[in-house]
Each structure stands twice: as structure tokens, then as C-alpha cells.
Amino acid sequence: MAPASILDSIVDTIEPRKETLPLPEPAHQRLLKAGIDLSKGYPYRPSVPLYLQDVYKIRNEERLYQDAGARADKSKKKLFSAATKVTDLTTHIGTEIEGLQLKDLTPQQRDELALLIAERSVVFFRNQDLTPQQQKELGEWFGEVEVHPQTPQVPGVPGVTVIWPDLFTLEKPADFRRPGDTLWASGYSAYEKLSPEFRKIIDGKYAVYRSAHPYLDRQDPNAGPKYIERTHPLVRVHPATGWKVLWVNRSMTVRIVGLDKAESDVILNYLYDVYEKNVDIQVRFKWTPGTSALWDNRITIHNASWDYGGRHPRHGTRVTSLAEAPYYDPNAPTRRQALGLLDDQEKSDLGVTE
């Protein structure tokens, strides 16, 4: 079973729009400062694999994995004491840290940051001076860095992918219905939104998760494109916190194993709505130049919001680290249980006595 993405980090740059499509100047200067060779064009585009069998091999081996957050000091005193300000952006999700440069974090601070991300889902740092190479090195601390077979990359730094909306709109135009800035939603809180009786329906159930891109079957190429499909638990547990999390995604989760399609569709559509329509479990973040966002794909979903209206050319680099194969533990608590936050009604529903 293949490991899932754990941590994404994006460094974003913005500048006023011009009439042509050059690399945005802040991004250009960042890449030059890092010694990136732009002489052969930018970005580097890997040769896209054609066949399903070749793509399955990319993540078909077991990987040794230890979550950096699991070895951290739970007080996070080294990380917090070095910051000038730490702000929780909402009750359930999102924290911003000021006064720190990601490139300068000590090993202990990196572990504590991993635990903070595991607890708060996404952590933001503004005004970062971080090269693509340093971004990748930080990603390697959290897990094996994914080298994606489909996405454009920074030349000479495999695993550092490029986010450049203006370039991509040459292939797929962006508009108000295909937006740009980012919101995240908490999978911990989405699970807690479910009634205890409904949780019993999905606990221990497995679903099929589908790749974003289709490929040809080498054994039957005339059958047309097919997707990579993996089976994972609908409710998983984070290894650093030990908390249960709802793990569904409208674009990736296609059916629940063992249910008829009609039954599966009803349940999945409801679960998608729980994630997407409860605004109190979401955080919306406005990008500024040099911002880094680090989030955990095991416990969040994210989506874009058209809040800058395409007025500014944008460029970012992204690193994704790999983690454990998803697993379920029936004895794991919810976040609110673990933190002692249950109200009287929740205690009654769960049969908790003190």
C-alpha cells in the first residue's frame, strides 16, 4: 500500500501584472540567487509516463517512516520561544508564526514544527528567504520527497515543483470559476461534526481513491486511459497526535468498498459537504510575497478562492513529503476527546463518564 502525502510547503511570490509573460521578477531573482540554471528554459518538464504499470511502480514499495512530530517535545518550547509572535488564526485550524526563518530552524525546532502542523493542520510563515534547495532539504526532514511524474519542476532540483498560474493558463485558461488563493479545512473537526452513531457507520470502512491523471494499460492500450486506484480507510489516525480524522476528498475519493453505488454516493456526498460547508472548521489565508505555508495532507483538504482576481502574476515552488500508509485504530480518540474539550452533550452522546 502506498504512503500518502504528508506535508506540502509553498513559497509564493507576487508582483504587479505586465502585458507579457516573463517569469515574475521576485521569482526570477529568487531562482538566480539560488544558482538555478535557467538557460535551458523554465520550468523543467519531466517525461510523462504513458503506462499504468509504470506509474504503479513509483509508490509500490514499503518505505520506512518515522513522523518527525512524534519525537517532538510536546510543549514546543524551542520553536515558540524563538518566535516573536504565534497566532492561532481560528479555533480549529491554522497558525501563523512570526520572527523565524525556516532555513534556520534547528533539528529540535523542525520536529516541534512537525508536531504543530499535525495539531493545527497548516502553519504559515511570511517574509521567508528560502531557496528551492533549502525548501527541499526541509521537506526531506519530514519524509522522502516526492518526485512527481506529471508536474513541472525547478531545473536541477527534482522534487521541487512549480506553481505558476499564468503559465498554466496557456494550457487551461483561468477565470472566476477556476480560482487562485487557498482555504484549508480540518479533517479532525470534520470527523467531530459527525454524530457518534454516524461515525460507527464509517469507522473501519475503506474507500477507493483515484489518481488525478489517467494512463494507458500496457496490456490493453486500446481500452483507453485508466486511473491509478488505491484502497485506504475513510477514517485514519495521525501517528503524531493519535487523533482520528475524516479522510475524503471530492476529487479523489470515488466509492466506498462494499456498498452499492447509490449508497456510497449518498454517504460520500454528505461527507464532502461536512468538510466544505462548515466554515468554522476552515481557515482562509491571503498570500503575500515570500510566504511559506506548510500543511498536512493527511488531516486537511484545501481549495482555491478567487480573491486576487488574476490581477497579479504569481509564482511558487512546492515540496511534498511522503508518509505512512493510512491506517485506522478503533481505540484512537477524537481531537476534542484528547484535549479534554468535550461539552456535556458530547460526553452524553459518547457515553463518557468522569
Side-chain angles (χ1 to χ4, degrees), residues 35-307:
I36 301 299
D37 183 5
L38 304 176
S39 64
K40 297 180 181 178
Y42 183 90
Y44 165 73
R45 292 183 179 270
S47 298
V48 176
L50 180 62
Y51 293 110
L52 199 68
Q53 288 80 358
D54 296 331
V55 182
Y56 266 114
K57 292 178 182 178
I58 294 175
R59 290 199 195 175
N60 224 27
E61 295 181 1
E62 293 293 332
R63 292 175 170 86
L64 295 176
Y65 175 75
Q66 180 187 26
D67 194 287
R71 58 180 182 247
D73 179 352
K74 295 189 182 305
S75 73
K76 307 174 209 60
K77 59 186 177 182
K78 292 294 186 182
L79 180 69
F80 288 161
S81 65
T84 59
K85 188 176 182 181
V86 178
T87 305
D88 287 342
L89 302 180
T90 75
T91 300
H92 302 287
I93 180 172
T95 296
E96 183 171 348
I97 293 182
E98 300 177 44
L100 287 177
Q101 288 291 321
L102 287 167
K103 66 180 181 181
D104 297 328
L105 296 182
T106 66
Q108 185 172 347
Q109 288 171 330
R110 290 181 174 190
D111 286 350
E112 291 174 3
L113 174 58
L115 179 57
L116 180 64
I117 296 166
E119 294 173 347
R120 297 292 302 165
S121 300
V122 55
V123 179
F124 304 97
F125 295 80
R126 298 188 190 271
N127 303 311
Q128 293 297 297
D129 179 17
L130 191 69
T131 67
Q133 297 94 327
Q134 291 166 334
Q135 186 180 5
K136 180 179 179 180
E137 193 270 333
L138 178 62
E140 290 171 336
W141 185 266
F142 299 119
E144 179 183 338
V145 168
E146 177 190 46
V147 180
H148 199 282
Q150 287 271 11
T151 55
Q153 301 173 18
V154 173
V157 196
V160 182
T161 59
V162 171
I163 301 170
W164 190 3
D166 278 5
L167 176 66
F168 302 155
T169 56
L170 297 177
E171 303 166 0
K172 183 179 181 181
D175 56 34
F176 183 74
R177 299 179 67 185
R178 298 185 182 90
D181 253 10
T182 315
L183 298 92
W184 287 263
S186 167
Y188 294 137
S189 297
Y191 182 74
E192 291 167 340
K193 289 285 186 180
L194 305 174
S195 69
E197 288 303 311
F198 192 89
R199 293 174 198 171
K200 293 177 183 178
I201 296 174
I202 63 171
D203 282 353
K205 288 286 192 299
Y206 281 74
V208 175
Y209 297 76
R210 177 177 289 175
S211 64
H213 304 96
Y215 305 88
L216 294 178
D217 186 339
R218 182 179 279 111
Q219 307 302 322
D220 188 12
N222 293 327
K226 298 180 181 179
Y227 290 91
I228 298 285
E229 292 190 344
R230 305 277 192 181
T231 301
H232 297 307
L234 270 174
V235 178
R236 68 186 295 177
V237 174
H238 194 291
T241 63
W243 304 339
K244 287 180 179 177
V245 53
L246 177 63
W247 200 52
V248 296
N249 186 310
R250 190 179 293 274
S251 63
M252 300 290 183
T253 314
V254 293
R255 63 185 180 276
I256 298 174
V257 175
L259 298 186
D260 291 341
K261 184 180 187 303
E263 298 168 334
S264 175
D265 288 348
V266 168
I267 293 174
L268 286 178
N269 282 318
Y270 172 66
L271 296 177
Y272 301 148
D273 284 349
V274 170
Y275 247 127
E276 298 166 2
K277 294 184 177 180
N278 284 286
V279 296
D280 61 318
I281 67 170
Q282 301 171 9
V283 63
R284 175 171 175 165
F285 187 78
K286 184 172 181 61
W287 295 97
T288 55
T291 296
S292 288
L294 298 93
W295 73 91
D296 195 324
N297 278 326
R298 295 172 292 186
I299 55 176
T300 60
I301 62 170
H302 63 280
N303 198 7
S305 172
W306 186 262
D307 70 344

